[in-house]
């Protein structure tokens, strides 16, 4: 039983969240809902591994596959605004070279027989968020001062994809400085959710998630610093995976090598904090649907748990990422130039003259405040201890054969600009970054508003294969039925 003060605070914030949803619903009610139409080209429905196999077997060409995706992007991008750099001409040239290479390759040769292992993605198009360096292309990271900065080498992930034979098709939109949960910047504008363009696809990999969910990309590469893959994935109804960090992480995972033993299923309903929104009905029902599936269809026991430290986790991510030697975000906004005066930019923003977005400006103000506070009283020290304690608790609980089911976010996709008013809702996503455990956003179905609902699957460190085993099983549950 809480004190009168706690009860009052809980009541006030509960009313605040309800009022916020009502205001944004009313604001968007007169606006016409638009959504991306389903694809009709069957080439867009083939998996990457299947497409690579068909290309190797000369049943389809890389050129035909890439042409299909180019056509699809041209159809849907005016609606979702996900693609910011088109590499179409160069992609078609590379695809033609791949087709010629395979056509002239002796099927009986070792070179051909080894293609599936040496070049497993030969001829397959991929897209990537605008925060990875790609040699010869601009890499803005959504920052105005980087609009003309061209990368002189590929990022490591790009090198590996190209080495596997993949072909870069396009670069996708990100928030300013990739530091927000909605994808918008002053260079390329705002990206929309393909299920409802009045809503956000999330961030910071929102461009990738929107494009993949629209069947505009076969392989989408993002990054997950604070839920930046899993958040957009949950809002757009696709899978988004954040593996264990470090060199010992399972970097190669095969579905045919997943654990055959039964796993222990734990689940939690969410975070109880006055400052974090309680999970909505459809979010709770998505979690229950997954739990019931394992109990009834798989005859697997499930265990509802409640770890008290998770309800104190709203500061875990900020504490875990604080580094006094790393430039605060307000300096990143200007690069090597004079640091941005965020209060001045805030005034300019409301006059319509700022080169920065409101979330970017607010993040800059917060980064300065966080730095000052940390230096003065070292308040993050105790928080990091709690963070480590919670990490140890979960690692010990899950062990080698346990997984945790947890809501992806308190709600389904929110209306544009709404998330700035509920910043601590991000805790559902960035908590797992803070304690460095692998997590995956797994779609469960659609709610009554035809919006994707999802859950997160979490495992102990370096047991990523347990997550994929559960996700593979939940494919049987995921369909277009209403939750």
């Amino acid at each position: 039983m809480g004190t009168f003060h706690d009860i009052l605070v809980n009541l006030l914030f509960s009313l605040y969240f309800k009022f916020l949803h009502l205001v944004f619903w009313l604001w968007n009610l007169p606006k016409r809902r638009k959504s991306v139409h389903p694809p009709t080209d069957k080439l867009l429905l083939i998996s990457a591994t299947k497409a690579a196999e068909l290309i190797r077997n000369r049943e389809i060409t890389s050129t035909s596959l890439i042409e299909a995706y180019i056509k699809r992007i041209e159809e849907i991008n005016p609606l979702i605004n996900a693609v910011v750099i088109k590499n179409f001409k160069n992609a078609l040239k590379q695809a033609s070279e791949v087709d010629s290479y395979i056509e002239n390759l002796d099927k009986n040769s070792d070179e051909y027989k080894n293609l599936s292992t040496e070049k497993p993605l030969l001829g397959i198009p991929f897209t990537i968020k605008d925060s990875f360096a790609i040699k010869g292309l601009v890499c803005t990271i959504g920052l105005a001062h980087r609009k003309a900065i061209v990368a002189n080498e590929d990022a490591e992930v790009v090198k590996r994809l190209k080495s596997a034979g993949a072909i870069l098709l396009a670069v996708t939109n990100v928030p300013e400085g990739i530091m927000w949960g909605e994808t918008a910047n002053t260079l390329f504008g705002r990206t929309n959710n393909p299920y409802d363009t009045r809503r956000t696809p999330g961030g910071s990999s929102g461009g990738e998630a929107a494009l993949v969910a629209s069947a505009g990309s076969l392989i989408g590469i993002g990054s997950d610093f604070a839920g930046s893959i899993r958040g957009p994935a949950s809002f757009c109804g696709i899978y988004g995976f954040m593996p264990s960090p470090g060199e010992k992480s399972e970097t190669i995972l095969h579905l045919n090598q997943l654990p055959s033993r039964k796993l222990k299923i734990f689940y939690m309903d969410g975070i109880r904090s006055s400052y974090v929104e309680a999970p909505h009905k459809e979010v709770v029902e998505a979690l229950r649907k997954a739990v019931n599936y394992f109990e009834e269809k798989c005859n697997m026991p499930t265990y509802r748990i409640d770890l008290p430290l998770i309800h104190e986790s709203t500061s875990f991510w900020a504490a875990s990422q604080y580094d006094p030697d790393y430039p605060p975000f307000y300096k990143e906004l200007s690069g090597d130039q004079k640091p941005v005066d965020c209060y001045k930019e805030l005034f300019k923003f409301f006059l319509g003259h700022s080169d920065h977005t409101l979330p970017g400006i607010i993040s800059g103000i917060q980064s300065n405040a966080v730095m000052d506070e940390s230096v003065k009283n070292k308040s993050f020290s105790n928080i990091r201890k709690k963070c480590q304690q919670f990490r140890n608790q979960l690692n010990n609980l899950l062990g080698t054969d346990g997984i945790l089911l947890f809501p992806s976010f308190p709600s389904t996709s929110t209306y544009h600009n709404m998330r700035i008013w509920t910043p601590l809702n991000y805790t559902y996503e960035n908590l797992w970054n803070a304690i460095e455990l692998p997590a995956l956003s797994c779609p469960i179905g659609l709610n009554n508003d035809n919006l994707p609902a999802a859950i997160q699957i979490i495992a102990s460190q370096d047991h990523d294969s347990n997550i994929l085993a559960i996700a593979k099983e939940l494919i049987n549950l995921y369909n277009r039925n209403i939750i």
Side-chain angles (χ1 to χ4, degrees):
M1 184 72 177
T3 65
F4 174 76
H5 175 268
D6 292 336
I7 294 172
L8 181 61
V9 170
N10 285 338
L11 176 62
L12 289 175
F13 271 94
S14 177
L15 292 173
Y16 167 75
F17 291 130
K18 292 181 186 299
F19 175 73
L20 197 64
H21 280 277
L22 177 62
V23 168
F24 275 86
W25 178 75
L26 289 173
W27 179 262
N28 285 277
L29 189 60
K31 300 177 184 178
R32 181 187 170 197
R33 176 175 180 170
K34 299 178 183 178
S35 57
V36 170
H37 63 85
T40 56
D41 191 330
K42 292 182 179 180
L43 283 177
L44 301 175
L45 303 178
I46 304 173
S47 70
T49 51
K50 183 62 177 178
E53 179 186 345
L54 294 175
I55 290 172
R56 289 193 300 270
N57 293 338
R58 303 171 187 171
E59 296 179 49
I60 66 171
T61 63
S62 175
T63 299
S64 64
L65 183 65
I66 287 181
E67 284 177 341
Y69 276 97
I70 291 174
K71 181 180 178 182
R72 179 64 173 173
I73 290 173
E74 298 288 19
E75 289 173 352
I76 62 176
N77 203 53
L79 198 61
I80 61 174
N81 190 36
V83 171
V84 296
I85 299 176
K86 297 175 180 178
N87 194 45
F88 296 167
K89 185 176 180 180
N90 190 42
L92 287 170
K93 180 176 179 293
Q94 293 180 56
S96 178
E97 292 171 355
V98 167
D99 294 335
S100 296
Y101 167 72
I102 293 177
E103 183 65 30
N104 295 317
L105 193 60
D106 183 0
K107 275 195 169 186
N108 295 316
S109 67
D110 290 338
E111 185 176 358
Y112 177 82
K113 294 175 182 178
N114 293 332
L115 277 182
S116 61
T117 53
E118 297 295 326
K119 297 284 184 181
L121 297 177
L122 186 62
I124 299 299
F126 75 94
T127 56
I128 193 166
K129 70 190 287 189
D130 184 19
S131 62
F132 292 95
I134 302 164
K135 187 176 180 179
L137 295 182
V138 171
C139 180
T140 74
I141 320 178
L143 295 167
H145 74 85
R146 291 185 57 90
K147 61 184 177 182
I149 297 179
V150 177
N152 55 20
E153 65 175 339
D154 288 331
E156 183 61 32
V157 65
V158 177
K159 291 178 182 177
R160 294 187 182 190
L161 283 164
K162 288 181 177 180
S163 178
I167 298 172
L168 175 69
L169 185 60
V171 178
T172 55
N173 206 19
V174 295
E176 184 175 20
I178 60 169
M179 285 294 287
W180 196 247
E182 294 193 46
T183 299
N185 56 66
T186 56
L187 293 174
F188 303 113
R190 183 171 67 190
T191 300
N192 302 315
N193 192 300
Y195 284 86
D196 183 351
T197 55
R198 300 171 300 176
R199 298 175 184 267
T200 178
S204 62
S205 305
E208 277 302 313
L211 191 63
V212 172
S214 303
S217 177
L218 188 52
I219 299 176
I221 305 299
S223 57
D224 199 313
F225 181 58
S228 294
I229 287 177
R230 289 163 291 123
S234 70
F235 278 8
C236 295
I238 62 174
Y239 295 88
F241 183 42
M242 177 187 70
S244 294
E247 295 180 358
K248 293 183 179 180
S249 174
E250 298 172 288
T251 54
I252 301 177
L253 298 167
H254 300 282
L255 289 177
N256 60 353
Q257 296 177 358
L258 297 180
S260 57
R261 64 186 183 280
K262 282 192 175 182
L263 299 173
K264 292 183 291 187
I265 311 291
F266 300 92
Y267 68 97
M268 293 183 68
D269 293 330
I271 298 170
R272 291 195 307 274
S273 169
S274 299
Y275 314 108
V276 179
E277 195 173 358
H280 290 204
K281 179 182 177 182
E282 64 263 31
V283 173
V284 175
E285 289 179 351
L287 180 66
R288 298 295 183 187
K289 189 174 182 181
V291 169
N292 292 339
Y293 175 81
F294 286 113
E295 289 179 341
E296 298 172 6
K297 301 294 183 181
C298 304
N299 195 28
M300 296 172 66
T302 63
Y303 308 91
R304 186 177 184 273
I305 60 172
D306 184 28
L307 301 176
L309 279 175
I310 200 171
H311 309 302
E312 304 177 35
S313 61
T314 53
S315 298
F316 280 8
W317 182 82
S320 69
Q321 298 301 321
Y322 174 67
D323 183 352
D325 298 323
Y326 193 83
F329 185 66
Y330 74 93
K331 292 185 178 180
E332 295 289 328
L333 288 173
S334 61
D336 296 330
Q337 305 169 26
K338 182 181 178 181
V340 171
D341 183 337
C342 291
Y343 292 100
K344 181 179 178 180
E345 289 299 322
L346 185 61
F347 179 73
K348 289 169 62 179
F349 174 84
F350 288 111
L351 293 178
H353 298 299
S354 178
D355 289 333
H356 304 284
T357 60
L358 183 59
I361 295 169
I362 293 176
S363 296
I365 293 173
Q366 290 175 331
S367 70
N368 197 12
V370 166
M371 182 185 70
D372 291 341
E373 182 68 18
S374 302
V375 172
K376 287 177 181 178
N377 56 34
K378 299 181 180 179
S379 62
F380 283 160
S381 177
N382 289 331
I383 299 175
R384 282 194 290 263
K385 289 179 182 178
K386 288 185 178 181
C387 187
Q388 183 62 41
Q389 183 182 350
F390 182 60
R391 181 176 184 269
N392 292 339
Q393 284 181 351
L394 262 183
N395 269 325
N396 292 334
L397 174 70
L398 300 179
T400 61
D401 61 351
I403 63 97
L404 173 67
L405 303 182
F406 194 77
S408 288
F409 198 72
S411 68
T412 53
S413 176
T414 56
Y415 289 110
H416 288 300
N417 301 316
M418 187 173 175
R419 292 187 70 171
I420 199 170
W421 302 98
T422 58
L424 291 182
N425 282 357
Y426 290 116
T427 306
Y428 276 77
E429 302 163 356
N430 64 35
L431 165 62
W432 313 111
N433 299 83
I435 64 175
E436 298 183 322
L437 295 188
L440 178 141
S441 178
C442 179
I444 297 299
L446 301 176
N447 68 3
N448 287 318
D449 292 325
N450 208 42
L451 296 172
I455 62 170
Q456 288 185 93
I457 308 171
I458 298 99
S460 57
Q461 185 172 357
D462 297 330
H463 291 91
D464 305 39
S465 58
N466 291 345
I467 291 177
L468 296 189
I470 293 298
K472 182 184 179 184
E473 185 61 44
L474 285 175
I475 290 175
N476 298 320
L477 175 63
Y478 179 42
N479 52 50
R480 300 190 66 85
N481 290 336
I482 299 298
I483 290 176

